């Protein structure tokens, strides 16, 4: 029998998170305040606990995972690594295709890897309530779960278009005891400002972040929790890549290319950074972030300082951005509708150490359906982006006869995204044109700080 799943024991769950900063050729650029001056860790203290701020600025290679967080991880970790024998067969490719499956978590994606860590550190710091944003609902449901596990109330601002497209994600959050509001809402200054200008706004991650940050900053008992983008979030996700490396070691194989869908970058960083450590040590491995062509942050954005939210409440981060008030089209991969990208991922891309690729919506669903019919698992629309890139490259291997090893992170299942699949089958899904005019306009509103060298 051919081996399909490569499994690890619970005692092989990583004991430390891996911090890529230790292996980057250049130190990360500091976040800036509105005056263009670097902000210190103190500026974050109103919304984050000290332990997470320390992780945000740390250059230590290894950061220990608290026992209670590792214990929470045992509910779904280690996650399986699959060899996609059946997909390889359908494609007729000589490539060996592998995927790490993060859909085995209770919320159905990689997001709980950081949610449980963030909830635990906040609880340790005496915080009773967390606010957050969610796009597709994957992050909101993960934080709702984590809040329930560690005794914190959670309020989720859910991007309105997803709130309407994915009612069962809302039900999941309610089941885990969280409160869910469509964003823009009338509960915050930020939401009211957007609604006054655009009463029919479908919302965006940037707007929902503004609302959640505003509320957390105005209440002592409440902190903010972010599901991607920030260094500590990417750090927590590195359990994915570390486990994958062990799994490859067990079968004596190693990827030529690692792919991940990329929204704010935590899923990409989580799977790719531990492989970057090998690359930094001289090993040949390509790392590819895959994004929607309608929200092409890395491939078409500008590398400059910008706000992390739509209103301009967060510190400025040096990143690839489409402009903080860019409103991405309402694609079904809600988790990829973000104007910016992680500063760490952006810097590595800027320095030519990782790659990025953009793919259109219809082609991603075509790939997801082909994958589901071969492998059984129905992927999240976000994950379909990586699958598209892998299938394209596996077909290229068929042309050249190269037996490359292609590995991707199957970041989540699509069980709550079936309305999107139905639309795809009914021919009602569309490819959005590259929104050039909207991006140009948003880029004209970038904050005025000195451009990086
Ligand atoms: C299933 C899934 N995959 C990938 C992503 C993108 O993750 P990130 O923002 O960490 O890049 C998301 C984000 O919500 C998601 O839900």
């Amino acid at each position: 029998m051919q081996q399909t799943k490569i499994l690890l024991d619970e005692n092989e769950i990583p004991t430390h998170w891996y911090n890529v900063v230790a292996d980057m050729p250049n130190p990360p650029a500091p976040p800036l305040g509105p005056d263009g001056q670097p902000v210190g860790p103190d500026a974050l203290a109103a919304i984050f606990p000290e332990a997470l701020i320390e992780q945000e600025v740390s250059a230590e290679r290894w950061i220990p995972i608290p026992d209670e967080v590792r214990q929470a991880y045992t509910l779904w970790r280690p996650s399986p690594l699959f060899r996609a024998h059946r997909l390889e067969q359908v494609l007729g490719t000589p490539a060996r295709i592998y995927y790490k499956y993060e859909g085995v978590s209770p919320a159905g994606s990689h997001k709980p890897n950081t949610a449980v860590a963030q909830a635990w550190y906040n609880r340790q710091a005496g915080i009773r309530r967390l606010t957050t944003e969610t796009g597709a609902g994957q992050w909101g449901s993960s934080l709702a779960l984590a809040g329930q596990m560690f005794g914190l109330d959670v309020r989720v601002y859910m991007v309105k278009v997803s709130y309407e497209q994915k009612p069962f994600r809302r039900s999941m959050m309610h089941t885990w005891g969280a409160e869910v509001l469509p964003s823009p809402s009338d509960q915050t200054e930020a939401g009211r400002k957007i609604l006054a200008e655009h009463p029919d706004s479908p919302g965006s991650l940037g707007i929902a972040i503004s609302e959640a940050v505003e509320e957390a900053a105005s209440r002592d008992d409440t902190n903010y929790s972010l599901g991607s983008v920030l260094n500590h979030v990417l750090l927590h996700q590195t359990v994915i890549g570390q486990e994958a490396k062990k799994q490859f070691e067990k079968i004596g194989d190693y990827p030529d290319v690692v792919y991940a869908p990329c929204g704010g970058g935590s899923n990409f960083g989580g799977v790719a950074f531990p492989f970057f450590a090998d690359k930094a040590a001289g090993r040949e491995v390509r790392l590819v972030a895959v994004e929607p062509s309608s929200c092409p942050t890395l491939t078409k954005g500008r590398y400059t300082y910008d706000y992390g939210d739509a209103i301009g409440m967060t510190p400025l981060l040096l990143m690839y951005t489409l402009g903080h008030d860019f409103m991405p089209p309402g694609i079904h991969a809600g988790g990829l509708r973000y104007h910016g990208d992680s500063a760490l991922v952006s810097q590595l891309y800027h320095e030519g150490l990782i790659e990025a690729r953009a793919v259109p919506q219809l082609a991603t669903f075509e790939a997801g359906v082909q994958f589901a019919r071969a492998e059984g698992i129905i992927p999240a629309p976000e994950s379909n982006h990586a699958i598209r890139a892998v299938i394209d490259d596996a077909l290229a291997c068929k042309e050249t006869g190269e037996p490359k090893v292609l590995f991707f992170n199957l970041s989540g299942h699509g069980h709550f995204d079936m309305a999107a699949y139905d639309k795809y089958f009914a021919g009602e899904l569309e490819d959005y044109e590259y929104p050039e005019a909207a991006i140009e306009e948003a880029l004209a509103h970038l904050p005025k700080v000195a451009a990086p060298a």
Side-chain angles (χ1 to χ4, degrees):
M1 229 168 37
Q2 292 176 311
Q3 185 176 7
T4 297
K5 294 193 301 303
I6 300 106
L7 303 172
L8 299 176
D9 287 334
E10 279 181 10
N11 62 18
E12 292 177 280
I13 291 174
T15 54
H16 291 71
W17 291 300
Y18 164 68
N19 185 1
V20 74
V21 172
D23 286 319
M24 286 169 59
N26 295 299
L32 302 182
D35 56 358
Q37 295 306 307
V39 295
D42 297 353
L44 303 172
I47 55 172
F48 294 118
E50 200 179 316
L52 291 179
I53 297 173
E54 274 169 23
Q55 292 178 5
E56 189 61 24
V57 298
S58 172
E60 290 293 316
R61 180 173 276 102
W62 297 106
I63 295 183
I65 304 177
D67 286 344
E68 282 180 75
V69 175
R70 271 188 98 220
Q71 188 61 50
Y73 281 166
T74 60
L75 283 177
W76 68 94
R77 306 215 69 83
S79 67
L81 177 73
F82 283 76
R83 170 89 185 265
H85 291 296
R86 298 170 61 91
L87 181 65
E88 289 169 20
Q89 228 167 35
V90 169
L91 298 174
T93 178
R96 298 197 290 286
I97 302 175
Y98 295 89
Y99 56 94
K100 180 95 167 138
Y101 185 41
E102 290 295 308
V104 293
S105 79
S109 77
H110 64 296
K111 299 282 181 182
N113 297 330
T114 182
V116 292
Q118 293 191 44
W120 186 81
Y121 284 113
N122 274 291
R123 182 66 211 216
Q124 290 298 105
I127 290 295
R128 311 307 301 222
R129 257 180 109 245
L130 292 173
T131 58
T132 195
E133 74 295 326
T134 196
Q138 292 270 20
W139 167 243
S141 42
S142 302
L143 195 68
L145 163 79
Q148 189 56 236
M149 288 172 81
F150 293 114
L152 291 142
D153 292 337
V154 174
R155 176 184 262 194
V156 183
Y157 290 90
M158 184 171 189
V159 175
K160 196 184 277 166
V161 59
S162 296
Y163 186 88
E164 285 155 9
Q165 279 171 350
K166 297 169 204 266
F168 294 128
R169 277 275 160 202
R170 272 190 263 155
S171 315
M172 285 175 85
M173 293 185 249
H174 288 148
T175 304
W176 282 315
E179 184 190 358
V180 190
L181 301 171
S183 166
S185 78
D186 60 5
Q187 303 277 307
T188 62
E189 285 290 325
R192 288 190 289 272
K193 179 166 182 279
I194 301 280
L195 285 174
E197 287 165 18
H198 307 283
D200 297 327
S201 169
S204 70
L205 277 172
I207 295 170
I209 294 172
S210 297
E211 294 206 82
V213 169
E214 178 187 320
E215 184 182 331
S218 66
R219 286 181 59 150
D220 283 346
D221 65 343
T222 303
N223 264 351
Y224 168 66
S225 190
L226 184 61
S228 191
V229 182
L230 293 178
N231 302 355
H232 66 269
V233 183
L234 275 65
L235 176 83
H236 300 155
Q237 293 292 356
T238 59
V239 288
I240 305 173
Q242 291 187 65
E243 284 178 9
K245 280 171 62 171
K246 250 188 216 166
Q247 286 160 312
F248 275 112
E249 210 176 284
K250 284 211 163 174
I251 52 164
D253 215 344
Y254 192 84
D256 292 303
V257 196
V258 178
Y259 306 81
C262 191
S266 75
N267 160 63
F268 174 79
V271 69
F273 284 177
F275 289 92
F276 181 82
D278 293 350
K279 192 179 170 82
R283 191 157 191 177
E284 191 90 6
V285 55
R286 288 172 51 203
L287 309 171
V288 182
V290 191
E291 59 185 15
S293 44
S294 58
C295 189
T297 317
L298 292 171
T299 51
K300 294 263 174 78
R302 193 173 298 168
Y303 189 54
T304 187
Y305 273 101
D306 198 4
Y307 296 107
D309 69 316
I311 301 287
M313 298 174 62
T314 68
L316 299 165
L317 297 173
L318 179 53
M319 61 181 173
Y320 280 88
T321 177
L322 298 167
H324 57 277
D325 58 5
F326 170 63
M327 180 70 64
I331 52 168
H332 282 269
L336 306 184
R337 290 180 72 244
Y338 182 60
H339 67 273
D341 214 311
S342 137
L344 297 177
V345 170
S346 294
Q347 182 166 330
L348 290 171
Y349 182 63
H350 187 66
E351 294 178 357
L353 298 166
I354 62 168
E355 302 167 43
R357 212 182 282 183
V359 289
Q361 174 160 258
L362 284 178
T364 65
F365 274 88
E366 183 196 14
V369 170
Q370 189 169 29
F371 180 86
R373 290 182 179 171
E375 292 292 314
I377 297 169
I378 300 174
E382 291 83 1
S383 310
N384 287 344
H385 288 68
I387 298 175
R388 176 74 270 160
V390 168
I391 291 180
D392 287 347
D393 289 0
L395 292 174
C397 287
K398 187 173 171 176
E399 294 296 312
T400 60
E402 286 172 289
K404 283 191 186 165
V405 180
L406 311 179
F407 164 54
F408 70 97
N409 194 35
L410 181 49
S411 49
H413 66 63
H415 298 175
F416 297 92
D417 302 283
M418 296 319 295
Y421 278 88
D422 278 349
K423 278 195 171 170
Y424 171 71
F425 292 126
E428 290 168 9
L429 272 199
E430 47 182 322
D431 272 340
Y432 293 93
E433 288 294 308
Y434 164 57
E436 191 162 4
I439 292 174
E440 275 311 309
E441 193 187 331
L443 288 175
H445 304 155
L446 285 172
K448 306 271 178 287
V449 288

